[in-house]
Amino acid sequence: MKFGVAGGATSDTLDPRGSPDTHVALAWWALRNSLTEVMPDGSLVGELAASWAPSDEAKTWTFQIRNGVTFHDGKPLTAEDVVASINFHRGDKSVSAGKTLVEPIADIKATGPLTVVVELSKSNADFPFLMSDYHMLILPVVDGKVDWQSGNGTGGYVLESFEPGVSIKLKRNPNYFKGDSRAHFDQVELINIPDAAARQTALMSGEVDAIGRVDVKTVLRLGGVPGIRIVETTGPQYSTILMDTTSSLFRDKDVRLAFKYAVDREEMLKRVLLGHGTIGNDQPIGPTYPYFDKGLAQRSYDPDKAKFLLKKAGAEGITVDLETAEVAWPAGAIDAAVLYAEQAKAAGIRINVVKRPNDGFWSNTWSKVPFTMGYVGGRPTEDWIFTAFYAAKAENNDTHWDNPHFEDLLVKGRLTVDPAERRAVYAEMQHLLNEDGGLIAPLFANHIVGLGSKVTTPEKLSGNWEMDNWRAVERWSLSA
């Protein structure tokens, strides 16, 4: 099985503390497992955890680890491996992008060979969902240290070769604990093909069996090619334009609001995604979430209001560089940036679109400059998405936003059991981000994959991340 995907870079690593894009993320999930797994319908099942149970009003969680699971080198999985893997992201000196997810952990310990007890600083009914995150992959302990370098894991595939940004080759793990129910390919190659046209050509020529991020401009034509099937999945993944709230350019809330009113979302949906998505509202919670606030008014294009806000802030005639790359969005990042620059002129905003290389964008540009772009895969719960990207200390807080009231509400939401009260908390958080945050979220983009005739997928694909929540290598199969 050969996948042609985007998002690879020479800076890619097997270190789960990083922030991967699709090329290496597919390999992470092929090589390793987490304690829990989110299914395409949003339900949570055990992966390396056979079971889990809360006590002390969801402040203490006990996980029973599956018996008989081994790493690729034959080492049995133990509770100590789990504890060390979670601790790998903890601590004041942690550089992990998943650090915020484990900050609520006050203590974690193995109380038996296959039993892990987690003590939280405060109750959190959603904690088991956090253990399904791609950072929380379980790694082996070797000589007292977590081994992430070798690729050794419990997953359905064993690493054969790793060329960052180029190619990753895998072979099936014959001792996979899920047996024949998952990991159906004998061998897999993940090929990084950044250019959408080149990916399409590779699929049509048979060089690859499946591609991600099908170009919306050519999706109808590609779907008409004999032997090629198009699968489109809606979900909570959203594309972003990011304002660094600590920078001199965007420190003023009125300036941030002006830039939000300078976006014509309807036009962007039509011209950039050609309708393959839905419009966003400058906060991450969409209609697929249980606590989506339908009462939050949709922000519309209003250049006159943007002008008024800029004048109020003393920032009339503002000029900014928008630094981006094609990989910044799953589809149409450069086109969107150019269109936004055109739209913003009516508000007196001059945007210079600065195109950066795809290779190194995530490590050198994203979250490093005052004005850039990005995208975020959905998370199964409101608490998770807020914690991972909008908490002040989150490693992935790419707008560097710090709102004390939002922080208080984040804690309150975890402690609130009553659904009506919890809905009110999350509604207020959506309003805060919409009004005060540095996030411009104009679009929710659909995932579009192109498949060869021999590729079989589950009836329903996950929409959180592309390629079936980055689980395609394990979940898909190939007929003879």
Side-chain angles (χ1 to χ4, degrees):
M1 177 70 185
K2 293 185 178 182
F3 291 87
V5 297
T10 54
S11 58
D12 283 344
T13 173
L14 298 177
D15 187 345
R17 294 173 296 182
S19 297
D21 205 339
T22 298
H23 187 232
V24 74
L26 287 168
W28 283 19
W29 280 121
L31 297 169
R32 301 155 174 167
N33 305 99
S34 55
L35 288 177
T36 57
E37 178 182 359
V38 178
M39 301 302 287
D41 64 1
S43 62
L44 191 70
V45 300
E47 192 163 37
L48 292 179
S51 63
W52 57 91
S55 58
D56 191 21
E57 297 183 334
K59 194 174 180 180
T60 301
W61 289 89
T62 300
F63 292 86
Q64 296 297 330
I65 309 305
R66 291 189 187 276
N67 189 21
V69 177
T70 60
F71 290 95
H72 299 152
D73 64 358
K75 176 189 176 307
L77 170 68
T78 69
E80 294 291 349
D81 297 307
V82 174
V83 171
S85 297
I86 302 303
N87 280 336
F88 194 44
H89 305 276
R90 297 179 67 211
D92 294 337
K93 296 182 180 180
S94 172
V95 296
S96 173
K99 178 181 178 180
T100 309
L101 299 176
V102 295
E103 275 191 338
I105 297 177
D107 188 34
I108 179 171
K109 57 188 176 183
T111 59
L114 295 173
T115 303
V116 174
V117 176
V118 181
E119 299 282 350
L120 304 180
S121 56
K122 295 180 180 179
S123 300
N124 187 351
D126 291 337
F127 181 74
F129 274 97
L130 301 182
M131 293 297 98
S132 70
D133 184 69
Y134 56 83
H135 296 102
M136 301 299 126
L137 298 166
I138 305 306
L139 307 168
V141 174
V142 179
D143 297 328
K145 295 182 179 180
V146 167
D147 169 27
W148 61 263
Q149 296 93 333
S150 68
N152 187 19
T154 58
Y157 294 88
V158 179
L159 184 66
E160 286 196 305
S161 66
F162 178 39
E163 296 178 75
V166 181
S167 169
I168 305 171
K169 294 183 179 180
L170 313 163
K171 64 179 180 181
R172 193 179 191 279
N173 174 12
N175 301 313
Y176 193 34
F177 71 92
K178 295 183 184 180
D180 294 333
S181 64
R182 293 281 185 93
H184 304 289
F185 309 122
D186 295 316
Q187 291 182 308
V188 172
E189 184 175 6
L190 305 171
I191 305 170
N192 181 43
I193 309 177
D195 182 72
R199 286 196 301 277
Q200 178 175 305
T201 299
L203 179 63
M204 291 190 297
S205 67
E207 180 185 346
V208 298
D209 303 292
I211 61 172
R213 302 186 192 179
V214 172
D215 190 342
V216 295
K217 298 183 184 70
T218 58
V219 63
L220 291 178
R221 186 164 72 248
L222 182 63
V225 175
I228 292 179
R229 179 166 60 101
I230 300 295
V231 177
E232 187 163 351
T233 307
T234 60
Q237 176 178 278
Y238 55 101
S239 301
T240 63
I241 303 170
L242 306 165
M243 299 176 285
D244 181 353
T245 58
T246 65
S247 71
S248 58
L249 284 170
F250 298 114
R251 195 174 292 128
D252 192 306
K253 173 186 173 181
D254 287 329
V255 173
R256 299 197 296 270
L257 274 172
F259 274 73
K260 294 175 185 180
Y261 280 110
V263 182
D264 187 335
R265 293 162 173 77
E266 294 283 359
E267 184 183 28
M268 194 169 284
L269 176 62
K270 292 175 183 177
R271 290 181 55 181
V272 176
L273 293 186
L274 303 183
H276 294 275
T278 56
I279 60 172
N281 199 20
D282 303 335
Q283 57 87 22
I285 307 304
T288 59
Y289 285 88
Y291 296 112
F292 169 66
D293 182 18
K294 297 179 182 178
L296 178 60
Q298 175 64 53
R299 179 167 286 121
S300 58
Y301 180 52
D302 193 338
D304 290 334
K305 190 165 187 175
K307 279 184 178 180
F308 169 79
L309 290 164
L310 290 174
K311 184 176 181 180
K312 180 182 174 184
E316 292 175 285
I318 188 171
T319 299
V320 297
D321 289 342
L322 176 56
E323 301 183 43
T324 188
E326 195 56 50
V327 295
W329 283 15
I334 302 299
D335 289 345
V338 172
L339 179 58
Y340 181 31
E342 293 176 3
Q343 295 170 346
K345 288 178 183 178
I349 299 171
R350 178 177 176 141
I351 296 175
N352 300 318
V353 177
V354 181
K355 187 175 180 181
R356 298 300 183 192
N358 286 326
D359 189 18
F361 172 78
W362 298 110
S363 56
N364 300 327
T365 305
W366 172 77
S367 194
K368 303 287 194 310
V369 300
F371 201 35
T372 185
M373 299 172 74
Y375 75 97
V376 178
R379 300 301 196 273
T381 69
E382 287 82 356
D383 174 70
W384 187 347
I385 195 76
F386 287 146
T387 298
F389 292 92
Y390 305 103
K393 295 182 180 179
E395 291 295 320
N396 283 326
N397 179 1
D398 45 19
T399 60
H400 311 289
W401 186 57
D402 186 353
N403 184 299
H405 186 44
F406 185 89
E407 300 295 310
D408 292 340
L409 290 171
L410 190 60
V411 174
K412 184 178 180 180
R414 294 174 189 150
L415 301 177
T416 302
V417 177
D418 180 75
E421 293 181 16
R422 208 173 196 203
R423 180 177 297 278
V425 170
Y426 289 135
E428 187 172 359
M429 295 173 80
Q430 291 169 60
H431 281 255
L432 276 174
L433 260 172
N434 174 272
E435 284 292 315
D436 186 63
L439 168 71
I440 304 172
L443 301 173
F444 288 88
N446 294 348
H447 302 294
I448 309 176
V449 297
L451 309 174
S453 59
K454 295 181 180 180
V455 179
T456 301
T457 65
E459 183 176 348
K460 180 178 175 61
L461 302 186
S462 174
N464 287 333
W465 293 100
E466 68 169 320
M467 307 297 282
D468 204 5
N469 205 24
W470 287 341
R471 293 270 194 163
V473 179
E474 179 179 88
R475 291 178 178 172
W476 298 3
S477 60
L478 196 63
S479 62

